[in-house]
Amino acid sequence: MVIATALYRGSHLVAGGVVVAQHQRDRLFPWLALSAAIASTALIWFMAARHRRLVPWVVGLDVLVIGCLLPFGAYAWGGARTQESVAWVMLLGGSASAMAAVAFGARLLAVAVALLVATHLAGYLMVEADAAVTGAHLNALVFSAVVSWVLTWYLCRQGEQVDSANRRALAAEAQRARFAERVAHHNALHDTVLATLTAIARGGVDANTSMMRERCAREAAYLRRLVEQADDREPASEVRAALEESVRAAEALGLRVTARYHEPPAVPGEIALAMARATTEALNNVRCHAGTGHAFLTAVGDSGRLIVTVVDRGRGFDTGSAGPEGAGGPGGPDDAGGAAGPGVSGGSEGPVGPVRQATGGIGLDRSVYARMRGVGGRAFVDSAPGEGVRVELRWPG
């Protein structure tokens, strides 16, 4: 409707320009009146573009000056003494009433239309216009407002219905996602915790072996994450679900992961996938090279930025001497497993001490750094011999 009323006013300005150029070009006031109408229109659309809607006070000013006062000015100073000479000024009142219908509420619109009708009726009476011309003009004045108001109401109502349908669709999709997540957890519980407890209850395995204790610890960590997620009032984000897949994959290979999520922000799907794959590589480095079976993962939001950290308490390495030749070995950068954690910084979310962007290492270069660079993020590694490794993934970088 903003564009429609702009075109409507534009048609009136074109008509006024033609009339002034052909019949009133020798008088100063018609040119001043046309310039005032153009300036008022420009102000209206400048404010509309800035606020993405018609601003009521600007439209009200146009109604008063262009719609109500300009006809009297044309009569008093413009020499408009006939209905033909004043008609182009009266036309502007029609577009003023249309804009008022879009910008005002019902009560204020009624006041504006009544004011326009009264002033335009007085203007045509001053020039002794025909009753038919006066009636037709007043009819157009009123119905310009009525039609604009009806169209505005209809479009707003349709927009509300579309928004309501979108909300219902999103709610249904969220419900389906929650059901799918619940089924996935049920399957995971059946294949892990329930299978372990059943085997212990039947006496088929020795619960005191180190292997069984490690398995129970991994499954306890999974249950803890499941309980925390159930207590969380916010729906699971896409990045959280992707990171959970990485954690479960690492746990399936024997690594125990303690994961914590502190309101990670919503990110696009490709960002969540890149973060998860980089995290998977960091966890693989812990499992293969850190000399420890336990890693710590934290995902947090910081002013719209997603920060994922993976930490281990393993052997660590010297980041100053790490290079491509150290890739894949215990002392190379592929040892990197994480982000701040107990072994390096006590599990804090931010880096402690200098955090250097490591270089070299096939696993880190291809699976961590390259993935993060590809989506506009960054990866950092902090480590020291005997102090474990901290890998931090940030998006945006």
Side-chain angles (χ1 to χ4, degrees):
M1 288 304 298
V2 172
I3 296 176
T5 53
L7 295 175
Y8 191 33
R9 170 55 68 85
S11 68
H12 291 170
L13 290 175
V14 170
V18 171
V19 170
V20 171
Q22 289 184 351
H23 304 290
Q24 302 176 8
R25 59 177 177 271
D26 296 331
R27 294 180 176 273
L28 177 61
F29 185 83
W31 290 107
L32 294 177
L34 183 62
S35 300
I38 293 174
S40 178
T41 304
L43 177 62
I44 289 173
W45 306 125
F46 171 77
M47 296 299 290
R50 185 174 182 179
H51 295 276
R52 306 184 67 84
R53 61 182 177 83
L54 289 180
V55 180
W57 73 265
V58 182
V59 174
L61 184 64
D62 183 84
V63 169
L64 291 175
V65 176
I66 306 302
C68 297
L69 297 181
L70 203 59
F72 294 106
Y75 179 85
W77 301 296
R81 296 293 186 271
T82 64
Q83 63 185 29
E84 293 80 7
S85 60
V86 81
W88 74 270
V89 179
M90 295 298 193
L91 274 179
L92 297 173
S95 51
S97 69
M99 289 186 291
V102 177
F104 295 162
R107 292 183 179 179
L108 190 56
L109 173 61
V111 173
V113 172
L115 189 60
L116 287 168
V117 168
T119 54
H120 282 227
L121 176 60
Y124 270 123
L125 289 177
M126 287 189 300
V127 297
E128 300 179 351
D130 294 339
V133 172
T134 303
H137 174 74
L138 296 180
N139 177 73
L141 194 68
V142 172
F143 274 89
S144 292
V146 171
V147 171
S148 296
W149 186 86
V150 170
L151 288 177
T152 301
W153 170 82
Y154 176 77
L155 291 175
C156 290
R157 182 172 176 269
Q158 291 299 108
E160 291 173 356
Q161 291 179 347
V162 170
D163 291 341
S164 178
N166 287 337
R167 286 193 295 270
R168 290 194 299 270
L170 289 174
E173 183 64 27
Q175 186 175 3
R176 286 193 294 269
R178 287 193 295 269
F179 178 77
E181 185 180 17
R182 191 157 52 243
V183 170
H185 284 312
H186 289 171
N187 293 336
L189 287 171
H190 177 273
D191 296 339
T192 57
V193 178
L194 184 59
T196 300
L197 293 176
T198 301
I200 293 175
R202 291 177 177 176
V205 295
D206 184 2
N208 294 319
T209 63
S210 60
M211 181 180 298
M212 185 55 64
R213 287 197 300 270
E214 290 176 359
R215 178 170 178 173
C216 289
R218 290 196 303 270
E219 293 174 1
Y222 170 69
L223 284 175
R224 187 177 297 107
R225 292 197 306 274
L226 189 60
V227 170
E228 290 175 352
Q229 184 172 341
D231 292 339
D232 192 354
R233 295 182 180 179
E234 295 294 327
S237 64
E238 189 171 359
V239 68
R240 179 170 179 167
L243 291 174
E244 275 294 305
E245 289 292 329
S246 299
V247 170
R248 284 197 289 269
E251 289 180 335
L253 296 175
L255 181 66
R256 180 185 171 192
V257 181
T258 299
R260 295 289 185 271
Y261 305 95
H262 303 291
E263 300 181 357
V267 297
E270 63 272 16
I271 305 301
L273 181 61
M275 277 283 193
R277 289 178 175 175
T279 300
T280 297
E281 180 60 27
L283 292 173
N284 285 338
N285 284 328
V286 176
R287 181 177 57 84
C288 296
H289 306 305
T292 179
H294 193 183
F296 302 84
L297 182 146
T298 304
V300 301
D302 181 15
S303 300
R305 170 181 287 177
L306 173 62
I307 301 176
V308 177
T309 56
V310 179
V311 170
D312 67 73
R313 290 173 171 171
R315 59 175 61 94
F317 65 93
D318 184 1
T319 56
S321 60
E325 65 276 13
D334 277 354
D335 294 355
V344 179
S345 60
S348 64
E349 296 173 10
V352 174
V355 180
R356 296 180 292 274
Q357 187 164 4
T359 58
I362 295 177
L364 289 176
D365 280 345
R366 293 182 180 177
S367 296
V368 178
Y369 297 124
R371 290 189 190 280
M372 297 307 298
R373 285 195 300 266
V375 295
R378 299 181 70 184
F380 299 86
V381 171
D382 190 27
S383 182
E387 295 293 335
V389 180
R390 176 181 187 269
V391 173
E392 181 177 295
L393 311 175
R394 301 178 186 176
W395 186 89

